[in-house]
Amino acid sequence: MTSERGGQGGSNRSTAALVFASMGYVALVIFGLGMTSLVLDQDVIAVTGLGQAPAIVGLLASLAAFALVLWGAVRRERPSYWASATTAATAYVTYVVVLWLTALVTSSDVARATSAATSIATTWFGAVIAASAFVCAWAGVALVRTQASQPRWPWEEEERDDEE
């Protein structure tokens, strides 16, 4: 950390980037799945009788995986943008696997659980999940890598010059 007002933010910047990226990920997934469902005129999980639990638990597990992998990247001094691809792949796979497991537990039917998971994994819904994770992870890495400081009004710079 170089100063209170600007420069590098150290751990605080990494934590803020992680929080913003994670919340953005959840918001983008929910929005993206909703819009995709509307455009395709198709349910996200088209298998009858499963309810909402597989999707909710899948998203929560995917969020945890997203945050864990992204945290490993953004806590470094200069994280790589390649971490976005790793984070997206991990979030996507976690969503599909946990959705399958939750569908299996709630329905006790392997065929229904597999149908639900493969319909997510092989359609636009899966692409939305992966793309959302990629975009938000990229933004999280960018927030840490940028050297920008907080915005200032022109007269604030004059006051700062007087203090020095």
Side-chain angles (χ1 to χ4, degrees), residues 80-107:
S80 170
Y81 284 109
W82 285 104
S84 303
T86 305
T87 304
T90 303
Y92 168 77
V93 169
T94 301
Y95 186 94
V96 172
V97 169
V98 172
L99 179 125
W100 182 81
L101 288 170
T102 309
L104 183 63
V105 168
T106 58
S107 71

Side-chain angles (χ1 to χ4, degrees), residues 61-80:
S62 178
L63 171 62
F66 174 90
L68 186 66
V69 174
L70 186 59
W71 178 247
V74 298
R75 67 187 176 136
R76 294 187 182 105
E77 188 173 327
R78 190 140 171 90
S80 170

Side-chain angles (χ1 to χ4, degrees), residues 10-72:
S11 179
N12 290 339
R13 181 173 287 210
S14 298
T15 303
L18 179 68
V19 169
F20 283 125
S22 297
M23 292 305 103
Y25 171 63
V26 171
L28 203 54
V29 166
I30 292 170
F31 171 78
L33 291 177
M35 289 306 294
T36 305
S37 176
L38 183 67
V39 167
L40 297 177
D41 193 27
Q42 214 177 6
D43 289 333
V44 176
I45 298 178
V47 179
T48 58
L50 288 182
Q52 297 176 354
I56 293 169
V57 174
L59 182 57
L60 291 175
S62 178
L63 171 62
F66 174 90
L68 186 66
V69 174
L70 186 59
W71 178 247

